[in-house]
Amino acid sequence: MRGEIGMYQGGNWISGYMKGRGWTPGEDYDFFPAPGTEDHAIFQTDTVVVLRGELEEQGKDFVRSVVSVEAQAAFNQPKGSIAPNMEVSEEIYDVIGRREAERFSEMAQPSLMILLPPEYRMAIGTEIEKYAANPTAEGLEASLNPLEGMRKSLI
């Protein structure tokens, strides 16, 4: 925004930041998928856990309220991101958000990482970093072996 770079990699949510700085979507900035990902859209959403106990019903009420069309529209419009509740009207989006919501609805694939046990999910991230530092057949083998051992212990 200071004119020092020509491109910045981030999610479509960055549009909320740009608009907050006074820029107009589609005029002062735009958004496009990273090269090679035009036909893919992977998403991850926040997770809310409701614990059993004396406040369980209040927790469920809270979840129902934050996933409602009204709450999602109120949250996602200024943020610039696509609402996970697909019943939210595309009218809340700017030109970039509408284009991305349409693209997303046609090809979205959920990230199943959130379903993995936390220790395994963290280990995957660690092993990917190790492999990135040594992207060889030996590096791949060194990263897959501990993951396979963990996988076997989990089933």
Side-chain angles (χ1 to χ4, degrees), residues 79-101:
K79 184 180 174 194
S81 60
I82 299 170
N85 185 331
M86 301 305 284
E87 294 177 14
V88 172
S89 170
E90 289 186 8
E91 295 301 312
I92 72 161
Y93 303 124
D94 59 37
V95 63
I96 294 171
R98 278 192 297 277
R99 184 180 67 220
E100 289 305 303

Side-chain angles (χ1 to χ4, degrees), residues 6 8 16-17 22 29 32 34 40-41 43 50 57 59 85 87 90 99-100 104 119 121 139 146 155:
Y8 181 81
Y17 174 78
Y29 68 95
F32 60 92
H40 306 284
F43 66 90
V50 176
E57 285 310 309
N85 185 331
E87 294 177 14
E90 289 186 8
R99 184 180 67 220
E100 289 305 303
F104 178 78
E119 66 275 9
R121 188 171 60 235
I155 51 175

